[in-house]
Structure formats: C-alpha cells, structure tokens
Amino acid sequence: MQDTLQQRIPDALAQINRAILGKDSQARLSLCCLLSGGHLLLEDLPGMGKTTLAHALAGVMGLSFRRIQFTSDLLPADILGGSVFDPATATFHFHEGPVFCQVLMADEINRATPRTQSALLEAMEEGQVSLDGETRSLPEPFFVIATQNPSELAGTYPLPESQTDRFLMRLSLGYPSATAERELLAQPDQRLKPLNMTPCLSVTDLQDWQKHLSETHLSESVLDYIQRLIDFSRQSKRIQLGLSPRGGLAIVRAARCYARMAGRDHVTPDDVQAIFPAVADHRLRAADHVVPVGDSSDNSTAHHRTVAQWILDSVDVLQG
C-alpha cells in the first residue's frame, strides 16, 4: 500500500507545479506539510499565488474545501458558527461555520483581530470546537492553509507565537524566475479558468500514509544531528527564542514524510536540511540587538527567516 501511495506523489506534484510555475521546492514542501498532518502558513506579498497553491493542494488531495476572507470586522462566530433560534419549534439549532470542512483556507489571516485569529487555535490543535457548552468534532482530516501578508503592511495584526507554533511549516513563494514569469504571461489569464485538479489520494490513503510515517527509520546519527540543531537554537546569543520540544517533534515528523515522498524508508541529513527552514523559521526569533543574518535583498522575507539557514550553516552534520 505504501509503495502505491508513494508512486502517486510525482503526479500530485506535477499538478501543483502546473498551477504554480517555477516553485518546485515550495510545492514539495507544501505537500509534505499536509501529508504530515500539519497546518500550513503561506506568507508573502499580495499576488504571489498563495491562494492558487492552497486550491491546488486541496484539489490533489480530494478533500472538501472552504475559504474565509479574513477582514478586520470578521467575528469568531463567522468562522465557527453558532446557534440560531427557530420560532416554529421554539428551539435553537446549531449552524456550522465554514471551519467544518477538511481543508480550510484562512486567507489573509493577519487582517483579522487577535480575538478572531484565536478562534482557530482549538480547531487547529484539537480538531474540535467548543460552543454553547458543547464540543463538536471537525471532519477528519482537518487542515488549515492560512495566508498572510508581511506584518509591516498596513492593516495587519501579527500572529502571536502561540498561534504560529500551531503551523507545521511556513513558506514564502517569492517572485517567479524570469523563465517562469514569461511562461505565465504567455498563457491566457488563469484567473478566468477553473483550477481543475485530479485527486491523487483518498481520505483512507492519507490516513494510511500518516499511520505509517512513524515506521520511517530515524538513525541515532540523524537524531543526534537534529538535537544539535535544537540545542544551538537555544544556546546561541543571537537567538532570543529557540526551538521548543514541539518544534523538535515537528522537525522529525516533517523529515520522515519528506523521506517517504522520495521513496526512502529512512531519514537522511539532507531530508532534515530540506525541511528545517520551513519548520523552524516561524518558531525562531533573533535577539533584538542582532543584525539580520543572510541575504536580506528579498523584501518579502522577514529578517528572522534567515536564522534557520544560519543555524544549518553553523552546525556540522557529523559531530567533530
């Protein structure tokens, strides 16, 4: 079964890459995030293709999809739903909000107030919502694909650490290459066409994939490497907020899935390095006095995004 599922990965990636041109790495990491059972945060400037990528991911996984446009006047009830009084029966009936789906796209999540943002916390972590004294389970699987604009743009409310930590990965698409943009401009306007995706995985397939992820072998040497990355993030004076134990577990889970997607039953240091920036970036914070490290020429990338790559460059794969 696992071999059959693994063979469908190239088809899923090919469809995503047709929707988002020239972003092979982001497409693979995005699919890895959802196959791992995690939530995905897409951060970039407007118009970079975040919404298209979210639609493509839901499409290739064959899951029910709903989209919420977050605005400053959005209320928690607009997401979760609520009880409505029926005069005919003199009773209250619960009306489900858009959160009751398998893939929820929270578009421009940082346009909403912190109160509304926090309404997603229990749903993302527990797969349930508590309303009117009752706990209601969400469909399985349940994924949140949230998009946000860089926090320095007008009208945005930065997500608190308690919420960003719920996302397994954070990715940025960035501007397309000249070749990809030329191909995009030469095509008819894709916004006028429906995004037709062929599902590659059923819900049963996805559950089976996730159930067997823990069987992907993690050697002592690779585990040592992951621990050194975590310890470095906590001990360095350049970093104010290092990786938590939950962050370490996220690295292991994503690395195992990335290895499976490549057709291997064991994790290599290359797998860890491939997923580490996407898993760790939003969990790290540089010290206030530290000058941003790495390349800051991309204005769509926040300064702490370079910290994860700096950690990778600073920690040897083999302990010397």
Side-chain angles (χ1 to χ4, degrees):
M1 174 67 74
Q2 285 296 295
D3 291 341
T4 303
L5 292 178
Q6 196 280 326
Q7 291 170 3
R8 301 178 193 171
I9 299 299
D11 183 30
L13 288 173
Q15 292 191 68
I16 296 172
N17 285 324
R18 283 197 293 271
I20 300 291
L21 300 176
K23 300 297 177 182
D24 296 6
S25 175
Q26 290 93 331
R28 179 174 290 274
L29 286 169
S30 298
L31 185 59
C32 175
C33 181
L34 268 64
L35 289 175
S36 301
H39 305 294
L40 176 63
L41 180 61
L42 300 172
E43 180 181 283
D44 220 323
L45 296 170
M48 293 294 187
K50 301 185 297 294
T51 303
T52 302
L53 176 58
H55 277 284
L57 287 168
V60 298
M61 299 179 75
L63 302 176
S64 62
F65 178 85
R66 289 183 180 176
R67 175 181 176 271
I68 305 175
Q69 178 63 54
F70 278 60
T71 57
S72 59
D73 59 350
L74 191 74
L75 298 175
D78 297 326
I79 302 172
L80 305 179
S83 296
V84 178
F85 183 72
D86 183 358
T89 60
T91 57
F92 285 90
H93 297 282
F94 180 73
H95 284 220
E96 294 182 347
V99 74
F100 287 87
C101 63
Q102 292 172 319
V103 177
L104 175 68
M105 181 182 176
D107 203 6
E108 295 188 310
I109 189 173
N110 59 342
R111 293 287 184 190
T113 61
R115 180 187 176 193
T116 302
Q117 293 172 2
S118 65
L120 280 178
L121 275 176
E122 183 185 8
M124 293 173 64
E125 187 67 15
E126 306 294 340
Q128 63 185 27
V129 296
S130 298
L131 291 169
D132 302 329
E134 292 186 32
T135 299
R136 294 176 170 85
S137 298
L138 297 173
E140 292 185 4
F142 174 70
F143 300 118
V144 172
I145 303 175
T147 73
Q148 69 172 359
N149 298 324
S151 58
E152 62 267 18
L153 294 187
T156 57
Y157 299 85
L159 296 179
E161 288 83 359
S162 60
Q163 186 152 335
T164 55
D165 194 46
R166 263 63 177 184
F167 291 96
L168 179 66
M169 293 185 186
R170 182 180 67 177
L171 295 172
S172 176
L173 295 176
Y175 294 113
S177 65
T179 301
E181 189 160 30
R182 181 62 175 251
E183 183 178 352
L184 176 66
L185 295 174
Q187 293 177 352
D189 194 340
Q190 297 299 311
R191 296 173 300 174
L192 304 179
K193 295 183 177 180
L195 189 62
N196 296 318
M197 311 296 291
T198 302
C200 299
L201 297 170
S202 66
V203 172
T204 302
D205 292 336
L206 181 60
Q207 292 172 340
D208 183 69
W209 173 278
Q210 293 175 355
K211 182 173 64 176
H212 288 88
L213 272 185
S214 60
E215 300 174 3
T216 308
H217 180 63
L218 189 66
S219 67
E220 292 294 326
S221 60
V222 174
L223 191 56
D224 287 343
Y225 178 48
I226 294 174
Q227 277 201 286
R228 290 199 302 277
L229 292 171
I230 296 171
D231 290 342
F232 187 91
S233 75
R234 297 171 182 171
Q235 296 171 8
S236 173
K237 294 181 179 180
R238 297 177 65 98
I239 302 174
Q240 180 182 3
L241 183 65
L243 292 170
S244 67
R246 176 159 50 191
L249 291 172
I251 293 169
V252 170
R253 179 165 43 142
R256 279 181 160 144
C257 187
Y258 200 86
R260 279 286 179 190
M261 290 175 64
R264 284 180 277 101
D265 61 359
H266 62 280
V267 178
T268 69
D270 287 342
D271 297 321
V272 176
Q273 293 172 351
I275 59 90
F276 187 78
V279 174
D281 271 335
H282 58 295
R283 294 179 165 92
L284 298 168
R285 182 190 297 167
D288 293 337
H289 65 281
V290 173
V291 176
V293 295
D295 180 14
S296 59
S297 60
D298 184 358
N299 293 328
S300 68
T301 301
H303 73 270
H304 59 270
R305 283 181 174 272
T306 61
V307 176
Q309 188 60 53
W310 174 67
I311 292 174
L312 285 176
D313 294 340
S314 302
V315 177
D316 293 333
V317 174
L318 298 177
Q319 193 166 16

